[in-house]
Amino acid sequence: MSYGITLFIVAFGGAVGAVSRFQITNWFIQWFGNSFPYATLAVNVGGSFIMGALMSALTHGTLISPHWRPLIGVGFLGALTTFSTFSFDTLMLFTQGEWLKAALNIIANVLLCLFAVAIGYQLLIKAQ
């Protein structure tokens, strides 16, 4: 696959991921309000699960072609999951004096995302 096509694929995946991220954020704010960054947590955990499954499929079998990695792993997941948003959300909680919520956000994102990527990875290994 040529470099130009790969760039287009990454850009397309990024556009879909960014729009998905925007919509998921809007839904979570409608459902839960904005007192806690639930949307950031949800996309980080979900994206970690997808990344684990994708990397497992690419590493351990033939369930998915390696050509999908730039689209899904770099483009879509790169735009969907945002560590910068997680960092900003946490900073805002700290500056608003919400120390407990800030700590919960750090712990929940790190632990749940590590758990999700491990589960996604293991599920695909067992599926092969």
Side-chain angles (χ1 to χ4, degrees):
M1 182 175 355
S2 76
Y3 186 73
I5 291 172
T6 302
L7 285 179
F8 175 78
I9 288 169
V10 169
F12 178 76
V16 173
V19 170
S20 298
R21 165 69 183 184
F22 179 76
Q23 190 58 51
I24 290 167
T25 298
N26 287 332
W27 287 333
F28 271 78
I29 289 172
Q30 288 174 0
W31 296 333
F32 302 110
N34 59 2
S35 66
F36 186 82
Y38 294 108
T40 302
L41 178 59
V43 297
N44 284 343
V45 173
S48 294
F49 175 82
I50 295 167
M51 181 62 82
L54 173 67
M55 295 312 293
S56 178
L58 291 172
T59 304
H60 296 289
T62 59
L63 291 176
I64 187 169
S65 167
H67 296 292
W68 286 95
R69 185 172 188 223
L71 173 71
I72 300 169
V74 178
F76 178 73
L77 293 176
L80 178 70
T81 63
T82 55
F83 199 79
S84 58
T85 302
F86 156 75
S87 300
F88 181 76
D89 288 344
T90 304
L91 176 66
M92 289 299 97
L93 289 169
F94 276 126
T95 61
Q96 294 164 1
E98 297 283 355
W99 297 92
L100 185 58
K101 284 184 180 179
L104 176 63
N105 193 41
I106 292 167
I107 292 166
N109 269 281
V110 172
L111 293 180
L112 290 174
C113 289
L114 285 171
F115 182 70
V117 78
I119 296 274
Y121 193 83
Q122 290 300 315
L123 281 176
L124 268 283
I125 288 175
K126 292 178 183 182
Q128 297 179 34

